[in-house]
Amino acid sequence: MTIHLPHRVSSGTGHEEAFGHAGTEAVPPARSTEFCGHAPPCALGGFAACGLDGNPRNAGQARRFVSTTLDGWALPQLTGDMHLLVTELVTNAVCHALGPGPREGSDYPVWLGLFRHPRHVVCAVTDPSPEPPRPRASDASSPGGRGLALIGALCDTWSWCPTAPHGKTVWATLPLPAPAG
């Protein structure tokens, strides 16, 4: 399922924008309850969302969604970096937030949203787990455990916030490319 809207949508929390600004460290930042601090709130942009069923193949589906959305926004130069971000965020949601076993409840327990702002694009993944993202210890021979460090190194900012009535949203931002000229 894909939803495309030309402008932002109320998050239902009383804030008009869905994501705030935090540091770029690889450790999980304090949970964010603040939203974009621009005054007035960002008016230029777009929103696109994609429901994911919690299957391990969701990372590939998310990358295709990102490619289509960024191409539609004339931002194909962000595709490679956004693919890395969305792969890590969606994989974390599917593997750690949902866990193994059958999925009960929603047909789409994981949601991916892209928000275009005047100076950046936000990638947000919502899942039903209230547990914050946590870096895992890894060494050179570990097959995983570097995702949050990669996110912290790649994006401008990232953080997480609780999602009503349960769950969380983990988000990361990439700057828009400088205008040609």
Side-chain angles (χ1 to χ4, degrees):
M1 168 183 258
T2 302
I3 301 169
H4 291 275
L5 298 173
H7 299 288
R8 69 181 181 272
V9 175
S10 173
S11 62
T13 63
H15 297 284
E16 286 304 309
E17 296 210 16
F19 305 97
H21 301 284
T24 60
E25 62 275 2
V27 297
R31 98 180 147 81
S32 174
T33 57
E34 291 300 314
F35 292 79
C36 179
H38 298 143
C42 297
L44 172 67
F47 170 77
C50 177
L52 302 168
D53 64 8
N55 188 294
R57 73 178 184 276
N58 286 162
Q61 294 166 333
R63 287 188 298 271
R64 287 187 294 280
F65 169 77
V66 163
S67 294
T68 300
T69 302
L70 292 177
D71 284 348
W73 290 345
L75 294 172
Q77 60 274 47
L78 293 182
T79 301
D81 288 348
M82 192 63 79
H83 277 180
L84 289 172
L85 288 178
V86 76
T87 297
E88 292 301 329
L89 293 175
V90 168
T91 299
N92 284 348
V94 170
C95 292
H96 302 295
L98 298 179
R103 311 284 182 241
E104 298 202 13
S106 172
D107 288 339
Y108 302 108
V110 176
W111 281 86
L112 164 63
L114 295 177
F115 302 80
R116 181 179 177 171
H117 294 275
R119 291 183 289 269
H120 58 268
V121 175
V122 179
C123 171
V125 175
T126 300
D127 65 59
S129 171
E131 293 299 315
R134 291 189 183 101
R136 294 186 333 189
S138 65
D139 58 32
S141 63
S142 297
R146 295 174 195 83
L148 292 177
L150 175 64
I151 290 169
L154 186 60
C155 68
D156 276 354
T157 59
W158 78 277
S159 191
W160 71 281
C161 57
T163 305
H166 57 80
K168 70 178 170 300
T169 299
V170 182
W171 57 266
T173 66
L174 288 176
L176 289 177

